[in-house]
Amino acid sequence: MTDSPPSRRQPPSTPRHPSARTAPRPTPDKDQIALLEPFERLGLDRIALVSTPAQADQACDALARASAWGFDTESKPTFVQGETSDGPHIVQLATLERAWVFQLHDPGCRARVAELLALRGVTKAGFGLGDDTKRIQHKLGVQPADVLELNTVFRQRGYRKDMGVKGAVAVLFNRRFIKSKKAATSNWANARLSEAQLVYAANDAWAALRVFNALHPTA
């Protein structure tokens, strides 16, 4: 009787650690970001303050030419426990060329901002927009259309839950996005906004659009 040849045993496959597939992609920390060169910013010559219906009409004409806008809002901070914000007090929209800071004191200006935000077919990209959209619904009576939360895009790509504009700019451009804490906690309900407030608000929206374009280069 002829012995049958020994069976060839397949080498055991190397098990993959379960966390290897789900490990988050690394993002720079605050200390690492602080070492980066500053990210470019829009100057006042490319920022328009919009507070009247006529100014809003001009802004609408310019924004209508773009297929995507950077989007953000600012509200007067609340410092007392239980105090409810009546914001947003401004809405920022940006193209790659310019940014518009809309004040919402005037009813006509508010109405035009509501029309812009409800416009379909234009992506409105930004960070941390959950609270922004809820406040807009309450104050302007519209559901913003085609809003893209950029944190969601980064989560889908394996980054930590909340990237934020600083982390996104560091990852995509290897630059440090400058945000003024003083401006961030300033009174956005003021009838007269400071230059620092305008630069802060406009660049939040503009940087969001830059991030969107880097993530979607063919958009």
Side-chain angles (χ1 to χ4, degrees):
M1 179 174 179
T2 305
D3 292 337
S4 58
S7 60
R8 294 184 179 179
R9 297 182 61 187
Q10 296 296 325
S13 59
T14 303
R16 295 184 63 186
H17 193 280
S19 63
R21 295 189 298 271
T22 59
R25 298 176 72 175
T27 56
D29 59 28
K30 291 181 180 179
D31 292 336
Q32 291 172 318
I33 293 176
L35 298 175
L36 300 176
E37 292 295 318
F39 187 61
E40 61 183 306
R41 298 195 297 173
L42 290 179
L44 287 170
D45 59 324
R46 296 169 65 188
I47 300 170
L49 176 63
V50 182
S51 58
T52 68
Q55 291 171 338
D57 287 339
Q58 292 179 345
C60 290
D61 290 342
L63 285 161
R65 305 186 189 106
S67 60
W69 306 331
F71 170 42
D72 199 11
T73 75
E74 303 294 341
S75 300
K76 177 184 176 181
T78 56
F79 299 104
V80 179
Q81 186 174 4
E83 183 181 1
T84 303
S85 172
D86 62 346
H89 295 99
I90 67 169
V91 170
Q92 307 101 276
L93 298 173
T95 65
L96 291 176
E97 292 76 29
R98 295 184 62 82
W100 292 262
V101 179
F102 295 83
Q103 290 183 294
L104 303 180
H105 303 300
D106 184 279
C109 191
R110 284 201 303 273
R112 284 157 178 78
V113 171
E115 292 174 2
L116 285 170
L117 295 180
L119 183 64
R120 296 193 175 278
V122 178
T123 301
K124 303 160 189 74
F127 290 92
L129 298 178
D131 287 340
D132 300 61
T133 53
K134 290 177 183 177
R135 290 178 177 179
I136 285 169
Q137 290 176 49
H138 182 264
K139 186 158 187 172
L140 302 182
V142 296
Q143 171 68 45
D146 296 323
V147 170
L148 177 64
E149 171 57 62
L150 292 171
N151 278 321
T152 301
V153 179
F154 279 101
R155 286 198 299 271
Q156 292 169 346
R157 298 190 179 201
Y159 290 91
R160 59 186 172 140
K161 183 176 180 181
D162 291 318
M163 173 70 73
V165 65
K166 285 186 175 181
V169 167
V171 166
L172 296 176
F173 302 103
N174 197 36
R175 289 291 184 270
R176 170 170 50 95
F177 183 72
I178 299 173
K179 295 191 72 159
S180 165
K181 290 184 178 179
K182 183 177 180 180
T185 57
S186 61
N187 186 358
W188 296 101
N190 277 340
R192 186 179 181 85
L193 298 178
S194 68
E195 291 184 357
Q197 285 178 306
L198 291 175
V199 170
Y200 176 98
N203 280 284
D204 260 5
W206 186 70
L209 183 63
R210 291 287 306 275
V211 168
F212 168 79
N213 278 0
L215 293 170
H216 304 84
T218 59

